[in-house]
Amino acid sequence: MAGVLQRFEQRLEGAVTGAFARAFRSAVQPVEIAAALQREVDNSAHVLSRERMLVPNDFTVELSPTDFERLAPFSGTLAEELATLVKEHVVDQRYTMTGPLNIEFKQTGELSTGRFRVRSRTNSAVTPVEGQRMTETAVRSSGVVIEVNGMKHPISPPGLVIGRGNEADLKIDDPGISRRHAQIAVSRNGGDTDVTVTDLDSTNGVILNGHKVGSGVVTDGAEIRLGNTVIVVRLTGAP
């Protein structure tokens, strides 16, 4: 851990000049954020198997308005160096991430100058449905839309299969998801749209609105948890 932080400081020193250096005289120091990110990774790690531990890949560093203003002009460079540090730590500890690494800064009035906090989550890489139009028009015109990690996917009858394997219609690179994990079925009933979710004999099951189900009716705003991924279903009412 110390070696990763030392390399981070050395890289940052090469980028720090003039206004950049003055900004880093603020109460929050980059090395403090770096150490906090490492702790967040370690504290959030959970066991997938004997040789694999899953860690978050999406981080938000919350700063006071004063610290955010001072660091904002250099947030891109700082985020890149912090990302390099996290990647080195992940490799050193032999952790597993399920999607691309993202670090962003956010200001909040809840924090005073010199204080910050790190929030994290796991966002698995998602491969859109093959041949599906992912335009805003397609989303608006679809009667059913699922949201996965901030991405919207319109669904047409008869529905789709979600899984980790290439044979799935919607592929999610989450180690807690089976190759063919669940099916979301969509059917038209007159002017109504019926949506159900069915567990396809997955290893970890399907959690619908906090309850494990073999099959269940999906309503607007329902949350489906597959492995470490939460899917939100929106019924738009479009024909």
Side-chain angles (χ1 to χ4, degrees), residues 52 54 97-99 122-127 163-164 171-177 229:
R52 299 180 68 195
L54 180 68
M97 285 184 170
T98 60
T122 300
N123 278 344
S124 302
V126 180
T127 303
R164 185 165 47 85
K171 181 181 177 182
I172 302 178
D173 189 16
D174 181 335
I177 293 180
T229 301

Side-chain angles (χ1 to χ4, degrees), residues 115-172:
R115 299 186 65 84
F116 70 95
R117 62 179 169 232
V118 175
R119 299 186 186 276
S120 66
R121 60 180 180 174
T122 300
N123 278 344
S124 302
V126 180
T127 303
V129 180
E130 183 178 357
Q132 182 62 275
R133 295 173 299 138
M134 297 304 298
T135 64
E136 283 298 320
T137 300
V139 170
R140 287 196 301 268
S141 63
S142 175
V144 182
V145 175
I146 59 174
E147 298 178 4
V148 190
N149 297 342
M151 294 179 61
K152 296 180 179 180
H153 305 266
I155 306 178
S156 302
L160 52 75
V161 171
I162 301 174
R164 185 165 47 85
N166 292 327
E167 62 271 29
D169 299 312
L170 184 66
K171 181 181 177 182
I172 302 178

Side-chain angles (χ1 to χ4, degrees), residues 153-234:
H153 305 266
I155 306 178
S156 302
L160 52 75
V161 171
I162 301 174
R164 185 165 47 85
N166 292 327
E167 62 271 29
D169 299 312
L170 184 66
K171 181 181 177 182
I172 302 178
D173 189 16
D174 181 335
I177 293 180
S178 300
R179 297 185 64 80
R180 283 173 53 86
H181 195 111
Q183 180 182 34
I184 296 180
V186 178
S187 61
R188 308 291 192 205
N189 182 14
D192 298 326
T193 300
D194 297 326
V195 183
T196 59
V197 60
T198 302
D199 184 3
L200 300 178
D201 296 325
S202 65
T203 301
N204 295 318
V206 173
I207 308 298
L208 175 60
N209 293 328
H211 301 281
K212 190 170 185 177
V213 299
S215 181
V217 175
V218 178
T219 55
D220 183 47
E223 291 189 352
I224 302 170
R225 178 177 288 276
L226 308 180
N228 305 288
T229 301
V230 175
I231 298 169
V232 180
V233 181
R234 304 292 183 190

Side-chain angles (χ1 to χ4, degrees), residues 92-124:
D92 288 348
Q93 300 301 315
R94 298 182 179 178
Y95 291 144
T96 296
M97 285 184 170
T98 60
L101 176 63
N102 179 63
I103 299 175
E104 62 181 22
F105 300 94
K106 178 182 178 182
Q107 68 173 326
T108 173
E110 299 175 4
L111 297 173
S112 58
T113 302
R115 299 186 65 84
F116 70 95
R117 62 179 169 232
V118 175
R119 299 186 186 276
S120 66
R121 60 180 180 174
T122 300
N123 278 344
S124 302

